[in-house]
Amino acid sequence: MRVLGIETSCDETAAAVVEAGVGGNLPWRIHSSVVASQVEIHREWGGVVPEIASRQHVRDICGVVERALADAAASWSSIDAIAVTQGPGLIGSLLVGVSFAKSAAWAAGKPLVAVNHLAGHIESLWLEHGDLPTPAIVLVVSGGHTSLYVVPASGTYRLVGRTRDDAAGEAYDKVAKLLGLGYPGGPVIDRLAGDADPDAVSLPSTRLTHPDRNAPSREYRFDFSFSGLKTAVLRHVRHRQQALGVTMLPEVEVRDLAAAFQSTVVDTLVDRAFAAAKWHNAVAVGIAGGVAANSRLRAAAAERGRRAEMPVFFPSTHLSTDNAAMIAAAGIRKLAAGQLAPADLNAAASLPL
Ligand code: KG4
Ligand code: ZN
């Protein structure tokens, strides 16, 4: 079973060919995975500009798909289905992938599968490691999402926690911007925080003690909130700028602040993921999404896993950030279950999972 995956939910145009055993069985094999990143284009603006992103997807999509097929030595006739990200994401960006996939599926006479981007991030763990022990807790932590899922058995997902405001990656990007470190913020803060002192500045971490007003019946025990932390960093920066009479803080202060911010985010993510694992009797913890590339998060989660005698799984860096191999993997699950998309499939910016 060979599936062509297509991903255009944000600022990466991606296509990949992934093969599964008969009936969608593991292990899955990545034959090709092509990612055209728009980071250099959006950097000038300090973040993703949706209108520019969708226009760039239009420019890149044909070449990226052709390259993914060529790298896999595959032709349109040799693939069994096309899987595409339906949502959540930027609507203009999603529409490019969905329109392309619908047209290609119709022209090549292949089934179409609609994939939730977050299911893709979760499945990146199964793509990388084969079958994870279940029930598992999976934390999807990226620029757009910070959500905790229980995976009772491979291929089924139940949301048990999510951010009420900013995603963790979004907090990285906003804090990097206010420290003048450029976009995207995650990798640069990760690097700067490396040998700095995370205890030099004290920052608050948030634990939510009340239901979400917009979804009062939802379980809220494992919800996140990062906007207060971002504001605390902003206030600290303003205070130090005034105290020193400068606009640019000394490098050592920027490093220490980056380290304090990073350690607060990482401690919150790890604490809540392991608390959820305990509460839901999980036997494994998985962490996926762009922020899963973070070195401190990887080290802290591995250490906590050792102490709790709980295996911890991360995707490789290439499968952590947005890619189409994970979309093809999630597509294989749905294809095996016979869940095909209609020819009039539409993109959905806030598709729930
Ligand atoms: O999964 P992803 O590629 O796109 C979304 O679905 O959002 O995640 C991108 C996010 C950005 O916010 C970026 O700053 C963050 O992942 N990121 C990191 C690191 N590498 C990327 N955050 C922390 N540490 C990193 N090393
Ligand atoms: Zn993503």
Side-chain angles (χ1 to χ4, degrees):
M1 199 184 260
R2 268 182 170 199
V3 172
L4 169 67
I6 295 174
E7 153 66 35
T8 63
S9 68
C10 189
D11 61 341
E12 263 97 27
T13 318
V17 176
V18 174
E19 181 157 7
V22 181
N25 284 339
L26 291 157
W28 299 327
R29 210 172 129 218
I30 304 173
H31 284 294
S32 65
S33 182
V34 179
V35 179
S37 172
Q38 303 178 6
V39 161
E40 292 308 325
I41 296 167
H42 296 290
R43 183 167 284 146
E44 187 184 343
W45 309 94
V48 177
V49 183
E51 184 62 25
I52 294 176
S54 49
R55 283 165 193 271
Q56 193 61 35
H57 284 306
V58 172
R59 288 188 197 102
D60 289 340
I61 185 100
C62 292
V64 165
V65 171
E66 276 169 9
R67 174 76 185 274
L69 288 172
D71 284 359
S75 61
W76 287 104
S77 60
S78 72
I79 56 161
D80 297 300
I82 298 171
V84 65
T85 305
Q86 182 190 9
L90 302 170
I91 192 66
S93 292
L94 289 163
L95 277 168
V96 177
V98 167
S99 312
F100 183 95
K102 283 197 294 189
S103 315
W106 182 80
K110 301 290 176 182
L112 180 67
V113 183
V115 169
N116 186 302
H117 182 80
L118 297 162
H121 276 302
I122 295 172
E123 294 296 351
S124 70
L125 291 161
W126 272 253
L127 179 56
E128 178 88 41
H129 300 284
D131 239 345
L132 259 62
T134 51
I137 283 287
V138 175
L139 170 67
V140 178
V141 62
S142 70
H145 303 276
T146 302
S147 301
L148 270 171
Y149 293 90
V150 174
V151 180
S154 299
T156 53
Y157 331 108
R158 186 159 56 83
L159 182 69
V160 294
R162 57 161 187 199
T163 180
R164 297 268 184 96
D165 39 61
D166 292 351
E170 188 178 358
Y172 265 97
D173 295 337
K174 287 177 176 171
V175 164
K177 193 170 184 175
L178 69 91
L179 290 175
L181 301 174
Y183 172 84
V188 55
I189 289 184
D190 196 357
R191 188 164 38 79
L192 282 181
D195 46 9
D197 176 12
D199 299 320
V201 183
S202 164
L203 294 171
S205 62
T206 313
R207 180 173 291 279
L208 292 158
T209 55
H210 51 280
D212 188 342
R213 223 177 297 134
N214 298 317
S217 60
R218 269 202 66 254
E219 192 178 354
Y220 64 89
R221 190 183 310 266
F222 303 114
D223 278 359
F224 300 91
S225 166
F226 292 108
S227 73
L229 174 61
K230 171 197 66 192
T231 307
V233 173
L234 178 66
R235 292 173 68 126
H236 179 87
V237 169
R238 296 275 179 271
H239 172 74
R240 293 299 299 156
Q241 282 170 331
Q242 267 179 8
L244 298 174
V246 295
T247 49
M248 292 283 286
L249 294 184
E251 193 182 324
V252 60
E253 288 203 22
V254 172
R255 282 177 185 271
D256 286 347
L257 194 49
F261 164 77
Q262 171 152 286
S263 106
T264 307
V265 172
V266 166
D267 286 353
T268 305
L269 294 174
V270 173
D271 283 352
R272 220 134 306 163
F274 278 81
K278 195 168 174 200
W279 180 260
H280 290 283
N281 295 317
V283 295
V285 168
I287 303 183
V291 181
N294 186 264
S295 60
R296 188 176 172 113
L297 177 59
R298 283 180 180 249
E303 171 56 26
R304 189 72 65 91
R306 263 191 298 279
R307 273 196 274 138
E309 295 184 356
M310 172 104 52
V312 179
F313 297 90
F314 281 91
S316 59
T317 312
H318 173 79
L319 290 178
S320 296
T321 47
D322 285 350
N323 65 88
M326 68 183 195
I327 302 303
I332 286 169
R333 287 247 192 250
K334 294 188 82 174
L335 184 65
Q339 296 169 7
L340 302 183
D344 64 350
L345 175 73
N346 203 354
S350 27
L351 187 69
L353 178 71

